[in-house]
Amino acid sequence: MTGRPAAPARALGFWMCLALVMGNMIGSGVYLLPASLAPYGWNALFGWVLTVGGALCLAVVFGRLARTLPQAGGAYGFVEAGFGRFPAFIVGLTYWISVLIANAAIAIAAVSYLSIFAPGMADISGLPAIMAVLLIWLVTLINLIGARAAGGFQLVTTVVKLLPLAAVAVIALLLALGIGEARALPFHADQISGSAITATAALTLWAMLGFESAAIPQGKVDRPAVTIPRATVFGTLLVGLIYIVTCSAITLLLPADQVARSNAPFADFIALYWGHGPALLIALFAAVSAIGALNGWVLIQGELPLAMARAGSLPRWFAVTGRGDTPVRGLIVSTAFVTLLVLMNYSRSMADLFTFMALLATAATLVLYLACAAASVKLTLNGRMPHSTPFLIVAGLGVVYAVWTFYGAGLEASGWIIVLLAAGAPLYLLLPRSVTADHAADEGAVG
């Protein structure tokens, strides 16, 4: 093992980065989200439009930062370039925690869809949690092989996970053309409200989380200044359009009470308009989708502490890597924390646990989004990034969107994130840190 290999392998090209972005975004969120959005009716559609627009603004921000600061080492380095080491540590720590929470939620979602094939599993106390933990460690083993193995697995699962979305989109199109009998929720303008749309903000953003994924393993991306911006923006746009069509179709074409209590909304939709057999197949694909997303996020949960350690903000112990520059220690420690998180909450129902963790992970991730958008504005205004008025407008909209969505996450989730941010300050002073050669090189590159 070595602290840093002489020449890190550039294993991730455009298609693998695009698969990483889309694969991390298309996971558990989209397949369970219609149940959470059902009470909001048509308000959810407006929420989706605003969320996709805000996510695109932030995707442009991440793409430009990656292109302008190719040696920054990803999102953590972007924040450090804009605001310094201590804010970068706080943001990086919060984002790392958000990834761990998200992985717990995604694993639970995968088990939830698999429970359709074993209906009694959910009734056995602790069994879903144990299954989720086993799944997390299995995916971790894949990532321990290396980034290319994880990228290849992501490419395969991304293709598979698009099939359920395509099935729902085709059925919705046929119903819109008058082929088949649709049971659409009637539109009432008086039921559309700003508060209801705001309430959907954090929920819809949960499904969009991951558009920043290509920027995290920046050191392993081929031609990062070109590949990361393209994969980030194209991936965000494609996934956003897919979500608007599929989630809106399920929310508006199924009875609201049925969707709200469903453990597998996509499968219920297919069962109603196609049949029980295809619904089981869709449930299987949805589980594969969640597993694919878990694979991508496990990759991120190892790369993030590696980047922070190389920047000198985590113990150098995390900077030690294995063959292929694989962050073995970061992966194992992160998965151990996810395991603990799942087992500590084993008594909660799968739906309650998923919803709480989704909101908490979203609020934590928003800290990174807000910090990167604000950093891009600062770096542009002080001349460290090329000046562009249109970009400043887009970045400014990204800042506004992040603040609005943080408010929409609610008091409980936002309160926990504030506690995490406050806890990071003394932790920064207590952790033994050593500035590595990587950090010195990065400071020279972005300074």
Side-chain angles (χ1 to χ4, degrees):
M1 292 185 128
T2 177
R4 185 189 181 191
R10 303 280 176 159
L12 304 177
F14 171 76
W15 291 109
M16 283 190 177
C17 281
L18 183 64
L20 182 63
V21 172
M22 296 184 68
N24 278 13
M25 294 174 72
I26 302 174
S28 63
V30 65
Y31 289 113
L32 291 181
L33 201 55
S36 301
L37 294 175
Y40 299 101
W42 281 90
N43 288 283
L45 176 59
F46 294 97
W48 270 118
V49 173
L50 291 175
T51 293
V52 172
L56 278 172
C57 289
L58 292 170
V60 170
V61 167
F62 275 91
R64 189 174 182 88
L65 284 169
R67 183 169 59 250
T68 308
L69 307 174
Q71 303 302 320
Y76 173 86
F78 301 155
V79 179
E80 184 175 15
F83 299 111
R85 201 178 202 190
F86 175 63
F89 170 80
I90 297 297
V91 172
L93 180 65
T94 305
Y95 182 63
W96 187 20
I97 292 172
S98 78
V99 172
L100 302 183
I101 297 170
N103 280 342
I106 294 170
I108 291 165
V111 172
S112 179
Y113 261 90
L114 288 174
S115 68
I116 293 178
F117 301 94
M121 183 176 67
D123 299 327
I124 302 176
S125 178
L127 182 57
I130 294 173
M131 296 296 293
V133 167
L134 290 175
L135 179 60
I136 291 167
W137 280 102
L138 175 62
V139 174
T140 300
L141 289 175
I142 294 174
N143 277 265
L144 285 172
I145 297 174
R148 187 164 187 84
F153 182 78
Q154 192 75 353
L155 192 60
V156 173
T157 55
T158 297
V159 174
V160 172
K161 70 177 58 179
L162 289 175
L163 297 178
L165 301 173
V168 171
V170 170
I171 292 175
L173 177 61
L174 293 176
L175 293 173
L177 295 175
I179 303 174
E181 181 182 354
R183 302 168 177 83
L185 181 71
F187 177 80
H188 298 290
D190 59 328
Q191 295 179 356
I192 305 300
S193 68
S195 60
I197 294 174
T198 299
T200 67
L203 290 171
T204 50
L205 181 60
W206 159 253
M208 295 292 292
L209 297 184
F211 59 80
E212 76 283 358
S213 298
I216 304 299
Q218 192 174 14
K220 294 182 173 66
V221 176
D222 182 41
R223 297 194 306 154
V226 176
T227 300
I228 292 176
R230 288 179 179 175
T232 300
V233 175
F234 283 134
T236 303
L237 179 60
L238 288 173
V239 172
L241 293 175
I242 291 170
Y243 279 178
I244 289 176
V245 173
T246 56
C247 281
S248 297
I250 295 174
T251 304
L252 302 177
L253 294 175
L254 278 180
D257 58 341
Q258 179 184 354
V259 181
R261 64 173 183 267
S262 174
N263 287 326
F266 271 68
D268 287 349
F269 181 86
I270 297 297
L272 178 62
Y273 290 104
W274 192 353
H276 180 68
L280 290 178
L281 189 60
I282 291 300
L284 177 61
F285 286 159
V288 172
S289 173
I291 294 171
L294 183 62
N295 171 70
W297 283 110
V298 166
L299 171 67
I300 300 304
Q301 80 175 18
E303 291 291 337
L304 190 59
L306 174 63
M308 293 179 67
R310 285 178 171 172
S313 291
L314 280 181
R316 192 169 183 175
W317 185 85
F318 283 101
V320 177
T321 58
R323 187 179 61 181
D325 201 27
T326 302
V328 176
R329 293 178 175 180
L331 282 169
I332 293 176
V333 170
S334 296
T335 299
F337 273 111
V338 176
T339 299
L340 182 63
L341 183 62
V342 172
L343 294 180
M344 284 176 60
N345 293 274
Y346 78 93
S347 60
R348 289 178 182 245
S349 70
M350 285 189 286
D352 290 342
L353 182 57
F354 174 83
T355 300
F356 173 71
M357 288 189 176
L359 286 174
L360 188 60
T362 301
T365 307
L366 278 168
V367 176
L368 175 74
Y369 293 168
L370 177 60
C372 284
S376 71
V377 172
K378 180 180 178 181
L379 292 170
T380 300
L381 292 177
N382 66 19
R384 295 174 67 187
M385 288 176 61
H387 181 78
S388 170
T389 300
F391 173 75
L392 284 175
I393 294 174
V394 170
L397 289 174
V399 171
V400 172
Y401 170 74
V403 173
W404 174 66
T405 310
F406 195 80
Y407 169 76
L411 182 61
E412 183 180 14
S414 300
W416 274 109
I417 299 311
I418 292 173
V419 170
L420 290 175
L421 291 173
L427 183 61
Y428 179 80
L429 298 175
L430 292 173
L431 281 174
R433 301 179 310 278
S434 59
V435 180
T436 65
D438 288 329
H439 179 251
D442 288 346
E443 283 189 323
V446 300

